[in-house]
Amino acid sequence: MHPVLEVKGLTGGYSQRRPVLHELSFTVNAGHIVGLIGLNGAGKSTAIKHILGLMHPHRGEIRVLGHTLAENPEQYRGSLAFVPETPLLFDELTVEEHLRLTGMAYDVPEESYTRRSGQLMDEFYMTGKRKAFAAHLSKGMRQKVMIMNALLARPALYVIDEPFLGLDPLGIRSLLDKLAEVREEGSAVFMSSHILSTVETYCDRFIVLHQGSILVQGTLEDVCAKAGVRTGSGSLEEAFYRLTANGGPHGPVG
């Protein structure tokens, strides 16, 4: 087991005077799914933007497979794939053309591309939409295309932001099955989601983010112990509520 994503002392945000994130430190190891959970405005999306290199830290560093973005931009970006909350596609390209573009960007061998793309089309029930333009797809189908592109690339790190929004039940099941599969293959998954029941079932570790700081991180048992909750079905939701209600463990926000 080795760290794929390493975040050390990350402080950052949109303004140097008022940082959103405060001294975040955590790792995501190979073969692990780590769930990032927090209230709206906790800093989850800001943390993800820093990991993707869309924002620069005020302090601290982020490494993917041992590389920072500044040291080796090509290696850093080529080691991760991102699935955003809102699908971002080219309206003039078909589903198949999006996959082909991703295959070229990540240097996926032709034989692997043909096999993977066909499997993903079948698993996400998109074979009949292979030639459809993105502009003609529903939001859920557009989200499936984003997910399929990430899975096609087979990166060391998947960064996924609220992946279940807009997906139908079959799409959710297909995604969860694939995440379990890539975890077994040794990839790392860093996933933000508000659906705590699903996160509890599929994630190996959790990071509870509140007001830009980490309240607790670790296994379900670690989170429950911090919140004073017994471990069991639905315990993550109860622990999260206790940790974040009324402004967190330090009381209401003034």
Side-chain angles (χ1 to χ4, degrees):
M1 188 182 302
H2 62 274
V4 175
L5 172 64
E6 300 173 272
V7 177
K8 297 180 180 179
L10 172 62
T11 294
Y14 300 91
S15 169
Q16 289 279 350
R17 294 183 178 181
R18 299 187 64 181
V20 175
L21 306 175
H22 308 281
E23 297 291 332
L24 304 190
S25 294
F26 60 88
T27 60
V28 182
N29 289 328
H32 274 190
I33 300 178
V34 174
L36 178 67
I37 58 178
L39 300 173
N40 292 333
K44 301 187 301 298
S45 294
T46 304
I48 287 173
K49 287 178 181 177
H50 278 82
I51 292 168
L52 296 176
L54 300 177
M55 298 178 70
H56 297 290
H58 301 169
R59 295 189 301 276
E61 69 174 14
I62 303 168
R63 292 183 177 272
V64 176
L65 292 181
H67 301 281
T68 67
L69 181 61
E71 291 170 350
N72 196 331
E74 185 174 346
Q75 176 71 31
Y76 186 101
R77 293 193 174 101
S79 298
L80 63 84
F82 175 50
V83 179
E85 176 181 354
T86 302
L88 299 171
L89 300 177
F90 297 101
D91 286 345
E92 301 83 4
L93 296 184
T94 66
V95 172
E96 190 172 47
E97 287 169 340
H98 277 92
L99 291 173
R100 174 61 69 178
L101 185 63
T102 296
M104 294 169 62
Y106 283 86
D107 291 325
V108 178
E110 182 63 27
E111 182 179 345
S112 298
Y113 168 80
T114 301
R115 183 182 70 257
R116 292 180 199 171
S117 61
Q119 289 175 345
L120 289 168
M121 291 279 193
D122 290 341
E123 290 166 351
F124 284 90
Y125 304 93
M126 291 291 288
T127 301
K129 296 292 183 179
R130 181 187 296 270
K131 300 295 184 181
F133 288 101
H136 301 156
L137 300 176
S138 67
K139 180 181 178 181
M141 288 183 177
R142 292 169 67 90
Q143 186 71 349
K144 286 182 180 181
V145 176
M146 294 295 299
I147 293 167
M148 289 161 56
N149 276 277
L151 292 167
L152 177 75
R154 295 288 181 92
L157 173 66
Y158 293 85
V159 180
I160 308 178
D161 189 11
E162 294 292 346
F164 308 115
L165 295 180
L167 289 183
D168 55 39
L170 289 178
I172 292 174
R173 182 57 183 269
S174 296
L175 173 58
L176 292 172
D177 287 346
K178 294 302 291 185
L179 291 181
E181 181 180 312
V182 300
R183 172 175 58 185
E184 290 299 316
E185 293 172 351
S187 292
V189 180
F190 184 62
M191 178 172 65
S192 168
S193 177
H194 286 300
I195 305 179
L196 299 187
S197 58
T198 300
V199 172
E200 179 177 352
T201 301
Y202 283 85
C203 290
D204 302 288
R205 298 176 63 83
F206 309 88
I207 298 170
V208 180
L209 192 64
H210 190 65
Q211 298 175 12
S213 298
I214 295 176
L215 289 182
V216 61
Q217 61 177 306
T219 63
L220 179 60
E221 290 75 16
D222 295 330
V223 175
C224 289
K226 177 74 171 182
V229 173
R230 289 186 178 181
T231 305
S233 179
S235 58
L236 180 63
E237 184 172 352
E238 178 63 23
F240 177 75
Y241 174 78
R242 291 196 186 185
L243 288 168
T244 59
N246 299 317
H250 303 299
V253 180

